[in-house]
Amino acid sequence: IGYRMFDCAECYGNEKALGKAFKNYFDDDENSVQRSDICIVSKVWNTNHKAEHVREACLNTLKNLQTDYLDAYLIHWPIAFEYTGPGPCGNDGTPESIPKDSLGHCRLNRNTSIYETWKAMESLVDDGLVRSIGVSNFSSIQLADILSYAKYPPAINQVECHAYLIQENLLKMCRSKGITMVAYAPLGRPG
């Protein structure tokens, strides 16, 4: 029907279903659209920010989507949680899995920096697993930090942006640095 960009993430729980649909579609010789005609974006979840987990998460995403590469791979949020195991959002497989302590507080991974995560993302580009890398939910300050050491600057910053949350300054900064700002919830969020 003409839709060409597919927005995925470990925590959306949509990668396996889309992978099956892609395989069925691309295996049909009568279809004129090829893999190179679509854009597949996915995101590494907060529990997988450590370098070896970034790679593991990407390989899992590629397996789920049944593709050899991603057009873009984003850091989902600029915060690292404790590692909870392989799989979608950790070993329990639930969407929006956030590791919590006995008091219900999020267990952060304070030993993993965005620098480490970004360098691991860059290695995915070098290895041909990902065409471009970017971020999601990053502020201007967080983008400036990445730009200070990035071999490959972020291609995308996907953020909430709509009439009630214009993000004008962030948009100006992204434009000035050649970063495409992609809006989610462009019609606003419920409530």
Side-chain angles (χ1 to χ4, degrees), residues 78-150:
I79 185 168
F81 296 161
E82 278 187 8
Y83 180 66
T84 56
C89 301
N91 55 17
D92 64 358
T94 57
E96 301 178 8
S97 177
I98 299 173
K100 295 182 179 175
D101 64 20
S102 60
L103 297 174
H105 300 124
C106 179
R107 291 191 327 255
L108 300 176
N109 178 345
R110 299 182 195 283
N111 298 320
T112 302
S113 67
I114 292 299
Y115 176 88
E116 177 182 344
T117 308
W118 192 254
K119 290 303 176 186
M121 299 283 282
E122 289 179 330
S123 73
L124 299 174
V125 175
D126 290 337
D127 294 342
L129 299 173
V130 173
R131 298 271 164 99
S132 63
I133 52 179
V135 296
S136 181
N137 303 298
F138 275 57
S139 69
S140 297
I141 292 169
Q142 292 159 331
L143 282 173
D145 177 58
I146 288 178
L147 290 169
S148 73
Y149 51 74

